[in-house]
Amino acid sequence: DQQVKQNSPSLSVQEGRISILNCDYTNSMFDYFLWYKKYPAEGPTFLISISSIKDKNEDGRFTVFLNKSAKHLSLHIVPSQPGDSAVYFCAARGTASKLTFGTGTRLQVTL
Amino acid sequence: GAGVSQSPSNKVTEKGKDVELRCDPISGHTALYWYRQSLGQGLEFLIYFQGNSAPDKSGLPSDRFSAERTGGSVSTLTIQRTQQEDSAVYLCASSSDRNEKLFFGSGTQLSVL
């Protein structure tokens, strides 16, 4: 039962353009959402988060949007840079406190 | 240290052997998590420790898997009688409380031959 879904396993975007990574969830009890970035042979690193009381959170080039009625969140990266090439994981947390992760989307930013 | 430390970074073992994976969380962090990532898969939750509370073991895939956290700090994940399907990267993470982001270690790459 995959409660957090990232339906696009990969995405290729040109440098300077916007990258949009999507995530859907099924558990309405999730109240906190996070995006993590992972480079090969390294652990995931925190990127940005959003509480369910908000619908948008912005940090520099990164913006996360939350649509609770659709149980959907997205990560926007603009402008995309080659160093953004990595696997991006969406994660959600509910009352049980453990984070549930999606399967990841591999972003490739091309020159 | 400044970050979450895991050892060994790589472990190759034979099917049927037991393995122990170690995690040193960030000092002062009360929450500790174990996840694993199999090839081409997402991050699969295994177990979660929070302070002195009973651990959430709901993600452990079988009774061959166990974990302990001694003194509220270092954690050891033990896999008994390893199988080839146990091959994965085992990731440990810690956080200061339930609202904080997780800090991950670099993982242990386990290969069961």
Side-chain angles (χ1 to χ4, degrees):
Chain A
D1 177 25
Q2 190 70 29
Q3 295 189 62
V4 179
K5 301 176 185 179
Q6 293 177 257
N7 292 319
S8 298
S10 64
L11 176 67
S12 182
V13 173
Q14 257 189 335
E15 181 181 12
R17 301 288 187 108
I18 184 171
S19 296
I20 300 176
L21 296 99
N22 293 302
C23 178
D24 297 291
Y25 61 96
T26 57
N27 190 338
S28 58
M29 299 303 292
F30 287 147
D31 61 2
Y32 194 61
F33 304 89
L34 307 91
W35 284 94
Y36 281 80
K37 176 179 176 179
K38 185 180 186 302
Y39 293 117
E42 295 183 10
T45 55
F46 169 79
L47 195 55
I48 193 169
S49 63
I50 188 167
S51 165
S52 60
I53 63 174
K54 294 185 176 181
D55 54 18
K56 177 183 175 182
N57 188 26
E58 191 173 352
D59 183 3
R61 296 185 297 114
F62 303 91
T63 303
V64 56
F65 296 91
L66 175 63
N67 182 335
K68 282 182 293 183
S69 61
K71 295 191 178 67
H72 177 84
L73 66 155
S74 61
L75 174 68
H76 292 209
I77 307 172
V78 55
S80 301
Q81 299 174 354
D84 297 330
S85 297
V87 177
Y88 289 78
F89 290 98
C90 168
R93 193 209 64 208
T95 54
S97 294
K98 66 174 186 266
L99 277 185
T100 300
F101 284 83
T103 50
T105 296
R106 182 177 301 278
L107 173 65
Q108 180 71 40
V109 179
T110 59
L111 298 174
Chain B
V4 177
S5 177
Q6 291 188 245
S7 61
S9 55
N10 281 282
K11 177 70 177 178
V12 180
T13 190
E14 293 179 351
K15 178 181 172 182
K17 300 282 189 183
D18 298 351
V19 294
E20 282 190 355
L21 312 180
R22 178 187 167 101
C23 173
D24 278 283
I26 292 173
S27 178
H29 278 190
T30 57
L32 187 148
Y33 304 74
W34 284 97
Y35 287 85
R36 74 175 176 181
Q37 185 179 18
S38 303
L39 192 63
Q41 302 297 312
L43 295 172
E44 177 189 2
F45 167 76
L46 297 177
I47 188 169
Y48 162 57
F49 297 89
Q50 173 61 59
N52 296 320
S53 302
D56 177 351
K57 303 180 182 181
S58 61
L60 295 178
S62 77
D63 59 7
R64 297 186 295 104
F65 288 72
S66 63
E68 62 177 23
R69 188 179 185 192
T70 53
S73 181
V74 172
S75 177
T76 303
L77 177 69
T78 301
I79 309 173
Q80 295 178 310
R81 304 181 303 282
T82 53
Q83 303 294 312
Q84 288 182 333
E85 61 263 28
D86 299 334
S87 297
V89 176
Y90 288 80
L91 291 159
C92 176
S94 69
S95 70
S96 58
D97 64 47
R98 72 183 296 270
N99 291 316
E100 285 291 319
K101 58 184 182 282
L102 271 60
F103 293 84
F104 281 86
S106 298
T108 294
Q109 172 73 64
L110 175 65
S111 300
V112 182
L113 304 179

